[in-house]
Amino acid sequence: MIQLKNIFKWVTVGGSRVFLLKDINLTIKEGEFISIMGPSGSGKSTLLNVIGMLDDFNEGEYNFIDQPVHQLKEKQKSQLYKSHIGFVFQAYHLIDELTVYENIETPLLYQNVKASERQAIVADMLDRFNIVGKKDLFPSQLSGGQQQLVGVARALVAKPKLILADEPTGNLNSKQGEEIMELFKQLNKEDGVTIVQVTHSEKNAAYGSRIIHLLDGRVEKN
Amino acid sequence: MIKNYFIITFRNILRNKTFNFLNISGLAVGIASAALIFLWVEDELNYNHYFPNRNNLYVIKDKQTYDGNTFVFDATPGPLAQAVKDETPGIQTTARSTWANPMLFSLEDKSIYENGRHVDSGFLTMFSVPFIKGNAAAAFMQLHSVVISEKMALKFFTSTDNIIGKTLKVDNKEDYIISGVFKDLPENVSIKFDWLISFKVFEEQNLWLKEWGSNSIITYARTDPNANIPAINKRLYDIVQRKNSQSTVAKMMLYPFNRIRLYNNFDNDGNEKEGVIKNVRLFSLIAWIILIIACINFMNLATARSEKRAKEVGIRKVMGAVKQKLIVQFIAESVLLSFLAMLLAIGIMFLILPAFNTLVHKNLSLQVFQPIHLGGLIVIALVCGILAGSYPAFYLSSFNPALVLKSTKLKTGSAAFIRKALVVTQFSASVVLIICTIIIYQQIQYGKEKDLGFKKDNLIITSLHGNMRSHFSSIKNDLINTGVVENASISNSDVLNMGSNTGDFSWEGKAPDKQILITVEGISSEYILTQGMQLKQGRSFYENLKADSNNIIINETLAKIINNKNILGSVINREKDKYTVVGVVKDFVSNNVYQPAAPLMLFADTSNANVLSVRLKANAPITSALAKVEKVIKTNNPGYPFEYEFADEEFGRFFQAETLIGKLAGVFAALAIIISCLGLFGLASFTAERRTKEIGIRKVLGASVSGITGLLSKDFLKPVLLSVVIAFPVSWWMMFNWLKDYQYKITIQWWVFALAGLLVLLIALVTVSFQSVRAAIANPVKSLRTE
């Protein structure tokens, strides 16, 4: 599903290159649950952003479902990720001005789904995550765990093949974190959604089928 | 999708009340003031549109050149109309008219002065006088008939029904039959009248109207739609050359009626130059500047707030929003806000329209549902919304989601630069307006304080009616006997409105081919004393005017032109008549305050006197003095209401145009600075917010409150200072050009610029420091903890 070949990414500081990603080679198959680990600044989030096409890389090849991402234009890339990838963030990143319902609905708006269909899909999602009663609340009225639940619901609403999660439990207490991880596991098992998560916690990483260790922008252990 | 935009926008408005209040109210004030100006502009541009034939209507102008100076008059000879109509192809019809003048109309014991004209019957169809009773064809069938406006009719009768055939007494003499009633004319027309009487009546009373040499009435002409105007003008020239027995300097020409309101000004070579249209353009420009200033606020506040919205942009992009969709979202949002501002602006306009009407001496009204007004408002709101929303939209939508969601600091360098440039633009405009206001005000004051050559205070001017002219000496005695009157005199016209002039005089040493236009005025012997003028040489006229019938008094300007060492006793000829100079009066303002005094001659002749001047004693209480004067005039001339004007009030009217410009410039300068400061206030608060962490660190490191206030304020004062520097040459150039039209004018002084600059800096400083101080005294522990 994902194939990274000799990916390099750098920034130029004071005339010399500082490598954020160095010669990354990685293949992820459909249905995998991958955890990326590594110390701060090792390039975990950068790698995740590259996979999610939110960030560019300087060198290398990236194939996503047989599409050469490194040759695509901005518009095509956004078309690609918006129909195949869902994102979950550490800080939830819900839109403060929108209700739970509207937050979940947003990705569908950008995929031009018809209003009646949208309603059905969002209702289904609310039901599945047990948050029907909270659909008219704003993010600020929810606990962190509930917000992340909405975040995951939003990531799933467009039925993506891949979920990218950047420290999804980083702002949650251990109980809430566990619930989210269980949810991921279930999604991976039952729905066959491919998941790539970045995490600091060994415990959470263990939920994955494979762990990738990064250090200084390099894959240290696969 | 649109619904989603609406929701986001409204929740945003509610979430940031202060911010949006600043934003919407600033824009609303801008839209309201621009819309008011556009109402005024609309009224000016629609002037005379009431007359359906206006495109083929002309007034015949008379161009005369004296000593290299060309004067353009409306005054034409009486026989011109008929001759032009008979002999000029392309002219459909012509009509003569007097200038509007007040006459006394009476019914039983009710007497009222009304303004109107004596006109040829052709005038009625030419200007499509809207009859509601009677008709144009029958209006002047009888010589002594009068057509009156509905308004005037209702002053005398309870309704306009069945009043045709009734009579009104005119000037306490003849009875005139009412032969028609017409609908009141709107206010924005150049020709105003409440009554019309046949020109023949006027012609019978003034036999000189049969002569070609006397230019004293207005001639209107209506041409064929595709008439060749230059050919007609050529024909006019020929007719006048042929008919006028003397060698005449008069050159007649057709002047389009459509240009009467907005142009109708002529330079010294007789070429048309801009009139009111200049103000129309100036004010339209000001309106757009105010709108732009208001839009800039909007942009600035929106981009300043961008960091708060960066997260939303990031999320939406991750959710799959493409740049275009976000641009549409932000522009839709700002259009929505600007429509809200427009609604608020309509409210503001309704509130201040009465005050604005007083200011501009008009009776404007806002018909919100009239297509042109509604369309105009919608266009303004759309333009503002798109203009104001475009920059933030492009700026915000360009954020990289990976960066903003990681919440690293945004690179705001370019945005900050553009924000500052916009602030500079705003404040430059404000400073320019302030400087213009001060200079216009100075120029008006300069005109007002100029030595007029006569004393305008305590001088009452009233018209002569009935037998007042022949009874003048007894009226004068009665007036003086009241104890409140110092002196009284009669003359042809009032001192500020002398209009009669001629080039027919000659004297020894005058080159025969050189014509000099001299103002002439007939006065009684008390005139010079009553007006408070000063005799430089010689004497005033004797009380027995007959003894002075061949003597004249001239002004200093004319004395200089004649250039005779022994000016007293020098002789001036007019055809066969010889006049001897017996006095020289100091130059006085007789027509235009901004121009040097014209050469002038005073004759000891009251046979055409129309005006009574009464000088009150300086210490006389005005109200009771007026009552006493009124009593005297009413006893001597019963049947006429006492109507008067103070010379200084009339003088004040000279400055109407300038005062209007000055006041409007002042109002809009204030508005511009208020809107700019609203924006600056918003910017300052966002900067303070953005720099909370920096301020916290500085305070922990030992910075003082005043140090931090200074640091934050300095950032904003720099662009304001720069705008002051930019505004100086711009406003100097604008005012230099404005003043060019005045011969008597102030010199532009440097302190005006310094004052305006300091004022704006001070206002900006106060605005900014409010926020800076608040940020500086905040507890650093709090701000650092949240990071």
Side-chain angles (χ1 to χ4, degrees):
Chain A
M1 181 181 202
I2 290 169
Q3 213 173 13
L4 297 174
K5 277 187 204 156
N6 310 101
I7 296 285
F8 284 85
K9 180 172 174 60
W10 63 78
V11 288
T12 314
V13 179
S16 61
R17 281 181 184 173
V18 174
F19 285 90
L20 302 178
L21 295 177
K22 236 184 219 173
D23 196 16
I24 303 273
N25 289 290
L26 188 64
T27 310
I28 298 173
K29 293 196 192 76
E30 203 160 343
E32 277 196 283
F33 185 167
I34 308 253
S35 300
I36 302 175
M37 291 193 75
S40 289
S42 59
K44 304 184 298 282
S45 294
T46 310
L47 179 58
L48 202 67
N49 285 337
V50 165
I51 294 174
M53 297 172 223
L54 297 179
D55 222 346
D56 290 328
F57 47 92
N58 300 86
E59 241 178 72
E61 278 179 34
Y62 173 16
N63 294 305
F64 182 81
I65 321 183
D66 304 327
Q67 297 254 27
V69 175
H70 51 277
Q71 286 168 4
L72 295 181
K73 291 196 182 109
E74 203 59 51
K75 233 186 186 158
Q76 294 165 310
K77 272 197 269 185
S78 95
Q79 191 60 42
L80 197 59
Y81 75 67
K82 102 176 163 189
S83 46
H84 295 297
I85 305 179
F87 293 87
V88 178
F89 304 95
Q90 176 180 359
Y92 333 126
H93 286 330
L94 302 177
I95 297 179
D96 297 335
E97 285 81 8
L98 297 180
T99 61
V100 166
Y101 181 95
E102 289 155 359
N103 263 296
I104 298 176
E105 187 189 24
T106 308
L108 300 177
L109 286 174
Y110 290 118
Q111 294 190 16
N112 302 322
V113 178
K114 269 186 258 154
S116 52
E117 259 179 80
R118 278 201 317 257
Q119 219 171 351
I121 298 172
V122 176
D124 190 39
M125 235 355 127
L126 289 167
D127 205 28
R128 182 166 165 196
F129 284 75
N130 256 330
I131 43 176
V132 178
K134 304 207 160 47
K135 72 180 170 62
D136 291 325
L137 296 181
F138 288 95
S140 55
Q141 293 165 307
L142 301 176
S143 74
Q146 288 165 336
Q147 287 191 49
Q148 193 58 298
L149 214 53
V150 176
V152 176
R154 185 180 61 181
L156 283 174
V157 77
K159 303 206 165 45
K161 288 204 166 72
L162 170 68
I163 287 207
L164 298 175
D166 194 349
E167 298 198 40
T169 60
N171 285 14
L172 303 177
N173 63 32
S174 57
K175 188 169 168 285
Q176 292 169 330
E178 233 168 82
E179 280 170 17
I180 295 291
M181 289 322 294
E182 282 299 333
L183 182 61
F184 276 3
K185 198 169 152 189
Q186 192 191 341
L187 285 171
N188 180 246
K189 283 259 154 62
E190 293 172 15
D191 300 319
V193 179
T194 315
I195 297 177
V196 179
Q197 68 161 344
V198 163
T199 181
H200 272 302
S201 130
E202 294 278 354
K203 198 177 145 214
N204 286 346
Y207 280 91
S209 53
R210 182 148 66 108
I211 299 177
I212 294 162
H213 287 273
L214 284 187
L215 185 67
D216 298 334
R218 249 183 237 284
V219 177
E220 198 193 38
K221 207 160 73 182
N222 194 340
Chain B
M1 189 64 92
I2 293 287
K3 194 182 126 213
N4 199 269
Y5 295 160
F6 269 96
I7 290 171
I8 276 272
T9 308
F10 276 109
R11 294 206 184 124
N12 255 324
I13 292 172
L14 294 178
R15 199 171 268 269
N16 302 288
K17 287 195 192 74
T18 332
F19 166 79
N20 282 297
F21 176 74
L22 285 181
N23 212 344
I24 294 179
S25 59
L27 195 58
V29 170
I31 291 179
S33 26
L36 281 179
I37 300 181
F38 287 135
L39 268 188
W40 180 86
V41 168
E42 183 199 20
D43 186 72
E44 287 295 339
L45 293 180
N46 283 343
Y47 232 84
N48 291 329
H49 278 208
Y50 179 74
F51 303 115
N53 299 327
R54 64 182 187 280
N55 291 331
N56 301 319
L57 290 185
Y58 293 85
V59 58
I60 299 187
K61 293 251 181 202
D62 183 357
K63 240 187 203 183
Q64 300 183 5
T65 306
Y66 294 93
D67 198 16
N69 286 329
T70 302
F71 301 85
V72 179
F73 309 103
D74 282 350
T76 49
L80 181 72
Q82 193 61 43
V84 169
K85 191 176 164 185
D86 292 346
E87 300 180 28
T88 319
I91 298 269
Q92 279 184 0
T93 181
T94 58
R96 297 169 295 176
S97 164
T98 57
W99 270 273
N101 63 308
M103 290 227 289
L104 189 69
F105 287 80
S106 318
L107 181 74
E108 288 151 17
D109 55 350
K110 193 181 249 174
S111 297
I112 305 168
Y113 282 109
E114 293 286 352
N115 267 304
R117 295 160 166 246
H118 289 87
V119 295
D120 281 330
S121 58
F123 182 93
L124 301 174
T125 45
M126 213 183 246
F127 288 97
S128 315
V129 174
F131 281 92
I132 47 178
K133 294 277 145 43
N135 59 61
F140 293 156
M141 296 260 266
Q142 274 175 293
L143 185 61
H144 284 184
S145 51
V146 61
V147 177
I148 61 176
S149 70
E150 193 177 2
K151 188 174 73 194
M152 176 173 162
L154 292 177
K155 285 183 189 168
F156 289 101
F157 306 97
T158 47
S159 92
T160 57
D161 295 332
N162 304 321
I163 63 169
I164 302 278
K166 294 196 171 157
T167 59
L168 290 172
K169 195 182 266 304
V170 175
D171 240 0
N172 285 337
K173 284 182 218 137
E174 293 105 347
D175 281 332
Y176 279 69
I177 296 172
I178 298 173
S179 60
V181 181
F182 58 87
K183 221 167 84 202
D184 296 333
L185 298 175
E187 285 192 46
N188 59 347
V189 290
S190 301
I191 300 184
K192 293 187 173 110
F193 45 85
D194 277 310
W195 55 262
L196 295 170
I197 291 177
S198 172
F199 194 82
K200 290 196 186 105
V201 177
F202 185 73
E203 206 171 13
E204 277 179 6
Q205 292 163 357
N206 299 284
L207 290 173
W208 41 262
L209 278 171
K210 310 259 183 220
E211 291 166 23
W212 276 90
S214 166
N215 297 315
S216 51
I217 51 141
I218 311 172
T219 308
Y220 296 104
R222 180 177 171 183
T223 63
D224 293 330
N226 46 5
N228 180 349
I229 304 301
I232 294 178
N233 282 340
K234 169 95 181 36
R235 194 61 169 253
L236 281 177
Y237 180 77
D238 293 343
I239 293 173
V240 174
Q241 287 296 315
R242 181 152 43 81
K243 299 276 185 180
N244 200 340
S245 52
Q246 315 156 8
S247 64
T248 178
V249 290
K251 270 189 184 172
M252 304 291 173
M253 61 165 186
L254 292 185
Y255 188 74
F257 188 71
N258 267 338
R259 297 178 86 82
I260 290 252
R261 172 67 184 181
L262 296 175
Y263 296 84
N264 206 14
N265 254 345
F266 299 89
D267 63 15
N268 269 346
D269 298 322
N271 299 318
E272 184 194 51
K273 61 177 186 178
E274 293 171 336
V276 178
I277 190 77
K278 242 165 93 173
N279 290 346
V280 171
R281 292 205 187 111
L282 181 72
F283 287 140
S284 308
L285 182 71
I286 290 180
W288 284 112
I289 290 177
I290 298 232
L291 266 187
I292 289 171
I293 289 181
C295 286
I296 287 178
N297 260 4
F298 202 94
M299 290 191 215
N300 267 347
L301 290 174
T303 48
R305 227 169 49 103
S306 57
E307 269 162 57
K308 289 203 155 177
R309 302 209 58 180
K311 191 183 118 190
E312 185 192 328
V313 173
I315 297 169
R316 285 185 183 274
K317 280 199 165 177
V318 170
M319 298 290 115
V322 284
K323 201 172 164 177
Q324 285 87 329
K325 284 227 162 122
L326 288 171
I327 291 175
V328 171
Q329 182 194 338
F330 286 118
I331 289 188
E333 201 174 303
S334 87
V335 169
L336 196 68
L337 279 178
S338 87
F339 270 91
L340 284 180
M342 184 193 84
L343 290 181
L344 187 59
I346 292 175
I348 296 175
M349 284 176 77
F350 274 114
L351 283 180
I352 58 174
L353 197 57
F356 184 72
N357 274 331
T358 321
L359 184 70
V360 299
H361 304 291
K362 275 190 194 292
N363 204 356
L364 307 171
S365 65
L366 174 68
Q367 267 104 30
V368 180
F369 295 107
Q370 198 191 311
I372 189 158
H373 288 177
L374 188 65
L377 282 169
I378 289 176
V379 167
I380 291 179
L382 268 180
V383 168
C384 283
I386 292 170
L387 194 69
S390 57
Y391 174 65
F394 283 96
Y395 174 65
L396 286 172
S397 61
S398 67
F399 288 153
N400 178 342
L403 283 179
V404 293
L405 292 181
K406 245 189 282 176
S407 82
T408 42
K409 270 268 173 271
L410 284 172
K411 276 190 203 153
T412 50
S414 70
F417 176 76
I418 291 177
R419 274 209 293 279
K420 278 184 182 152
L422 291 174
V423 168
V424 169
T425 317
Q426 276 186 318
F427 275 87
S428 300
S430 306
V431 176
V432 167
L433 282 174
I434 290 175
I435 292 176
C436 292
T437 309
I438 300 176
I439 291 180
I440 292 171
Y441 177 78
Q442 280 183 317
Q443 170 71 6
I444 296 171
Q445 281 314 105
Y446 180 76
K448 282 187 176 166
E449 281 160 15
K450 189 184 159 192
D451 180 12
L452 296 180
F454 72 94
K455 295 191 189 115
K456 66 180 192 311
D457 304 317
N458 295 318
L459 186 64
I460 300 176
I461 292 172
T462 167
S463 334
L464 290 173
H465 291 285
N467 299 321
M468 286 169 79
R469 190 184 300 150
S470 45
H471 290 144
F472 170 63
S473 50
S474 77
I475 293 176
K476 187 185 104 184
N477 284 336
D478 288 353
L479 283 172
I480 289 176
N481 286 339
T482 59
V484 294
V485 171
E486 206 170 276
N487 216 333
S489 69
I490 56 174
S491 53
N492 289 6
S493 40
D494 71 69
V495 60
L496 285 167
N497 255 321
M498 293 188 184
S500 193
N501 44 33
T502 165
D504 295 347
F505 294 98
S506 62
W507 52 85
E508 212 182 293
K510 177 176 175 245
D513 57 330
K514 192 170 164 183
Q515 294 235 40
I516 290 168
L517 193 67
I518 296 171
T519 306
V520 293
E521 174 77 357
I523 60 168
S524 70
S525 61
E526 307 85 351
Y527 185 78
I528 293 194
L529 267 178
T530 306
Q531 308 294 335
M533 294 170 182
Q534 240 179 309
L535 270 176
K536 285 282 175 186
Q537 291 182 59
R539 61 170 175 89
S540 190
F541 293 132
Y542 296 125
E543 194 155 347
N544 176 11
L545 289 177
K546 290 227 166 66
D548 273 326
S549 61
N550 285 319
N551 294 336
I552 52 170
I553 296 172
I554 61 175
N555 72 351
E556 286 176 296
T557 303
L558 183 55
K560 248 175 248 156
I561 294 173
I562 294 174
N563 197 15
N564 184 338
K565 263 188 197 145
N566 304 310
I567 188 78
L568 295 181
S570 49
V571 174
I572 289 174
N573 308 304
R574 181 184 200 175
E575 292 169 44
K576 283 161 276 171
D577 300 327
K578 291 187 187 309
Y579 298 97
T580 312
V581 176
V582 295
V584 176
V585 69
K586 189 179 152 194
D587 281 338
F588 57 87
V589 172
S590 63
N591 209 315
N592 190 331
V593 191
Y594 297 112
Q595 269 166 21
L600 172 127
M601 264 180 212
L602 299 172
F603 290 83
D605 174 15
T606 56
S607 55
N608 288 315
N610 276 316
V611 170
L612 168 69
S613 309
V614 180
R615 167 145 323 265
L616 298 179
K617 285 189 172 157
N619 53 4
I622 297 288
T623 332
S624 65
L626 271 174
K628 283 174 183 165
V629 171
E630 176 170 9
K631 203 174 152 213
V632 170
I633 291 184
K634 281 215 152 166
T635 8
N636 277 283
N637 197 34
Y640 289 88
F642 176 58
E643 293 198 347
Y644 64 92
E645 185 167 31
F646 277 98
D648 47 357
E649 286 169 5
E650 193 191 342
F651 180 66
R653 277 212 310 269
F654 275 20
F655 302 96
Q656 232 172 32
E658 285 87 0
T659 311
L660 174 67
I661 300 176
K663 276 188 189 161
L664 283 180
V667 168
F668 292 120
L671 275 177
I673 194 89
I674 287 172
I675 300 176
S676 306
C677 282
L678 273 182
L680 198 64
F681 182 82
L683 273 188
S685 48
F686 282 112
T687 308
E689 207 176 292
R690 192 163 59 89
R691 292 173 75 172
T692 333
K693 189 179 160 199
E694 179 199 336
I695 294 166
I697 296 170
R698 280 179 192 270
K699 277 187 87 171
V700 170
L701 295 178
S704 67
V705 170
S706 60
I708 288 174
T709 310
L711 177 85
L712 289 176
S713 305
K714 204 178 68 195
D715 234 27
F716 281 102
L717 291 186
K718 264 191 273 174
V720 175
L721 198 67
L722 178 63
S723 61
V724 168
V725 172
I726 293 173
F728 282 175
V730 175
S731 48
W732 181 86
W733 178 81
M734 277 175 66
M735 282 296 99
F736 178 78
N737 276 306
W738 185 73
L739 285 171
K740 251 193 341 210
D741 282 351
Y742 299 95
Q743 294 205 25
Y744 275 101
K745 62 188 170 203
I746 54 160
T747 44
I748 300 175
Q749 281 152 315
W750 66 268
W751 63 260
V752 172
F753 295 83
L755 181 74
L758 277 178
L759 188 72
V760 169
L761 275 175
L762 196 71
I763 294 174
L765 182 68
V766 170
T767 311
V768 170
S769 60
F770 179 79
Q771 282 300 331
S772 308
V773 169
R774 217 173 68 164
I777 56 178
N779 184 352
V781 178
K782 272 188 188 161
S783 60
L784 291 181
R785 195 173 48 205
T786 55
E787 254 310 298

